C-alpha cells in the first residue's frame, strides 16, 4: 500500500529460484503482498491496545473485513488462548490461499478459533457480534459514493457487540492525492506502489502493486484497486451518519532523530500538514 508498515526484525527469504525459471514466474504474489505490505504483529498490538484503552478490557472476538489471506485474523488467534476471529472476503481464491498457507500453519486449537466466510462485507447477520472489527489497508476505499460507504459502515456497526469498536486505517497528504510511484526494497524483491488516473473532480484513483526481482523479472499489476480518496472529515462524518456514537483519530508521532513517523499512534484532534500520513480511525458504538 502507500507506505510499507514497520516490519519486525524477522528475516524470511521471499522464495528460492528453481533452475530455468525467472524469479517472477516462481513467486507467489500473496506471499509477496504479506511480506511487503503487512506487519500483522504490530497491527494486532495496535488493535489490542486500542480496544483496551477504549473499553477497559481485552477484546475476545475480532472480525477482519476484506480479510484477503486472513493474516491478521491468524495473528489474533495466535495472540491469546480464547481469542476468536471471523474473516470476511468476497474472493474464494484468496480465502483458499489463506486457509492453506496461513490457517494451515496454526495449531489445531488455534485453527478451531478462526472461521473464514466468503461474503460481501455489507451483508448483515453473517457472523457472531464482534468486540472489534478491523478493515485494514484502506480496503473500504473501494466504496466510491457516500451512500455506499455509509452502507458499509452501517453493516460494520450492526455486526458489532453492544460495546464494539470498528477500527480502520486511512492515508492522505499532498503526496498521496496525486499520481505517484513509490519503491520499497524488501528482502529478495522490490515492492512498487503506483497510483494513476487520479481524478480530482470525483476523487477516483487507480492503484497497482508491482513486484521486481534481482534477476530483472517483474510481476506487473500483481494487485490492482479502483478506489476513491476519502478525506478524514468525510470518513468521520459518514461513520456518525452510520450510527457510531464517537470517532477517534490516532495520529502518528515523529521520531526526533529521523523526522519520520515513529509508529506510535495517539488520539489527536490536531494533525500536521504532513505531505504523507497514515492514521487509524476508531468508531465507537
Ligand atoms: C486490499 S485487499 C486486502 C487487504 C487486507 N485486509 C490487508 O490488510 O492487507 C482487499 C480485499 O478486499 C476484498 N473485497 C473487495 N470488496 C469486497 C466486499 N464488498 N466484500 C468483501 N470483500 C471484498 C478483495 O477480495 C480483497 O481480498
Amino acid at each position: 500500500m502507500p507506505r510499507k508498515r514497520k516490519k519486525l526484525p524477522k528475516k524470511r527469504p521471499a522464495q528460492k529460484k528453481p533452475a530455468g525459471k525467472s524469479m517472477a514466474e516462481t513467486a507467489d504474489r500473496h506471499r509477496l503482498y504479506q511480506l511487503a505490505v503487512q506487519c500483522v504483529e504490530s497491527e494486532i498490538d495496535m488493535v489490542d491496545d486500542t480496544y483496551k484503552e477504549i473499553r477497559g478490557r481485552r477484546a475476545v472476538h475480532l472480525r477482519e473485513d476484506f480479510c484477503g489471506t486472513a493474516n491478521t485474523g491468524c495473528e489474533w488467534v495466535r495472540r491469546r488462548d480464547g481469542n476468536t476471529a471471523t474473516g470476511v472476503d468476497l474472493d474464494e481464491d484468496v480465502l483458499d490461499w489463506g486457509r492453506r498457507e496461513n490457517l494451515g500453519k496454526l495449531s489445531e486449537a488455534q485453527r478451531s478459533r478462526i472461521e473464514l466466510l466468503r461474503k460481501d462485507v455489507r451483508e448483515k447477520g453473517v457472523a457472531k457480534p464482534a468486540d472489534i472489527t478491523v478493515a485494514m489497508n484502506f480496503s473500504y476505499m473501494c466504496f466510491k459514493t457516500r451512500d455506499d460507504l455509509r452502507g458499509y459502515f452501517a453493516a460494520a456497526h450492526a455486526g458489532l457487540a453492544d460495546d464494539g469498536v470498528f477500527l480502520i486505517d486511512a492515508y492522505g497528504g499532498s503526496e498521496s492525492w496525486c499520481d505517484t510511484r513509490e519503491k520499497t526494497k524488501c528482502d529478495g524483491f522490490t515492492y512498487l506502489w503506483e497510483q494513476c488516473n487520479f481524478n480530482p473532480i470525483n476523487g477516483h484513483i487507480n492503484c497497482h502493486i508491482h513486484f521486481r526481482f534481482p534477476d530483472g523479472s517483474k510481476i506487473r499489476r500483481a494487485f490492482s484497486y479502483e478506489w476513491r480518496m476519502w478525506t478524514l472529515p468525510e470518513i468521520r462524518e459518514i461513520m456518525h451518519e452510520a450510527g457510531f456514537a464517537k470517532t477517534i483519530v490516532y495520529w502518528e508521532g515523529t521520531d526526533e532523530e529521523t523526522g519520520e513517523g515513529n509508529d506510535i499512534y495517539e488520539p489527536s484532534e490536531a494533525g500536521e500538514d504532513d505531505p504523507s500520513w497514515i492514521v487509524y480511525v476508531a468508531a465507537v458504538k
Side-chain angles (χ1 to χ4, degrees):
M1 302 285 130
R3 191 173 61 181
K4 193 171 77 125
R5 293 187 188 287
K6 293 237 158 42
K7 305 295 284 181
L8 297 182
K10 199 194 298 181
K11 288 266 173 191
R12 284 168 291 191
Q15 53 257 305
K16 292 193 188 98
K17 177 185 177 305
K21 290 203 167 174
S22 73
M23 294 179 88
E25 282 170 316
T26 59
D28 182 324
R29 68 189 182 113
H30 294 300
R31 188 167 313 288
L32 297 171
Y33 176 94
Q34 291 190 166
L35 290 166
V37 172
Q38 295 186 301
C39 180
V40 293
E41 296 90 341
S42 60
E43 189 159 279
I44 288 300
D45 287 346
M46 168 73 195
V47 168
D48 213 15
D49 293 349
T50 302
Y51 186 87
K52 174 96 190 301
E53 271 162 33
I54 294 173
R55 294 302 190 196
R57 68 172 179 96
R58 292 283 179 204
V60 175
H61 187 60
L62 171 135
R63 171 169 164 160
E64 184 187 5
D65 276 351
F66 309 97
C67 68
T69 63
N71 203 12
T72 302
C74 285
E75 176 59 20
W76 180 253
V77 299
R78 268 195 301 269
R79 184 59 61 102
R80 252 188 320 276
D81 288 351
N83 274 3
T84 54
T86 301
V88 181
D89 199 286
L90 269 181
D91 183 348
E92 192 60 36
D93 286 347
V94 74
L95 290 173
D96 274 348
W97 193 99
R99 283 189 192 100
R100 196 174 60 244
E101 300 292 331
N102 288 335
L103 275 70
K105 294 190 174 106
L106 297 173
S107 72
E108 216 169 291
Q110 290 163 346
R111 202 161 42 245
S112 72
R113 291 187 274 109
I114 181 167
E115 61 168 355
L116 303 189
L117 304 177
R118 186 188 177 204
K119 296 277 179 201
D120 192 303
V121 292
R122 290 166 293 183
E123 219 176 298
K124 293 184 183 161
V126 296
K128 86 174 195 192
D131 295 320
I132 187 150
T133 294
V134 298
M136 292 301 175
N137 275 319
F138 324 108
S139 306
Y140 60 88
M141 288 164 64
C142 65
F143 300 124
K144 294 196 191 130
T145 65
R146 288 183 76 98
D147 283 350
D148 282 349
L149 189 61
R150 192 186 311 106
Y152 167 53
F153 287 170
H157 183 273
L160 288 170
D162 289 346
D163 59 352
V165 173
F166 177 48
L167 187 67
I168 66 169
D169 52 10
Y171 76 98
S174 56
E175 287 176 5
S176 302
W177 280 302
C178 57
D179 288 4
T180 182
R181 279 172 83 87
E182 190 184 306
K183 210 191 292 185
T184 307
K185 277 224 89 47
C186 300
D187 192 17
F189 66 98
T190 300
Y191 155 66
L192 283 117
W193 173 251
E194 180 189 7
Q195 299 190 167
C196 53
N197 305 326
F198 178 55
N199 179 350
I201 294 175
N202 58 17
H204 294 185
I205 198 157
N206 296 334
C207 305
H208 305 288
I209 289 177
H210 315 286
F211 297 112
R212 262 195 215 144
F213 301 90
D215 66 355
S217 61
K218 295 176 197 157
I219 305 180
R220 274 187 53 72
R221 300 192 176 184
F223 297 93
S224 295
Y225 309 102
E226 290 179 17
W227 280 349
R228 169 168 167 179
M229 299 297 295
W230 291 96
T231 65
L232 280 178
E234 287 170 321
I235 290 170
R236 297 180 84 183
E237 284 161 14
I238 296 169
M239 283 172 156
H240 286 285
E241 289 166 15
F244 286 99
K246 186 178 163 189
T247 60
I248 307 165
V249 173
Y250 293 81
W251 191 263
E252 191 179 11
T254 306
D255 184 303
E256 301 278 301
E257 273 178 30
T258 63
E260 298 288 314
N262 62 4
D263 214 22
I264 298 171
Y265 293 81
E266 302 280 3
S268 177
E269 284 298 324
E272 286 151 38
D273 183 20
D274 192 319
S276 172
W277 47 258
I278 290 181
V279 297
Y280 291 93
V281 185
V284 180
K285 198 161 176 178

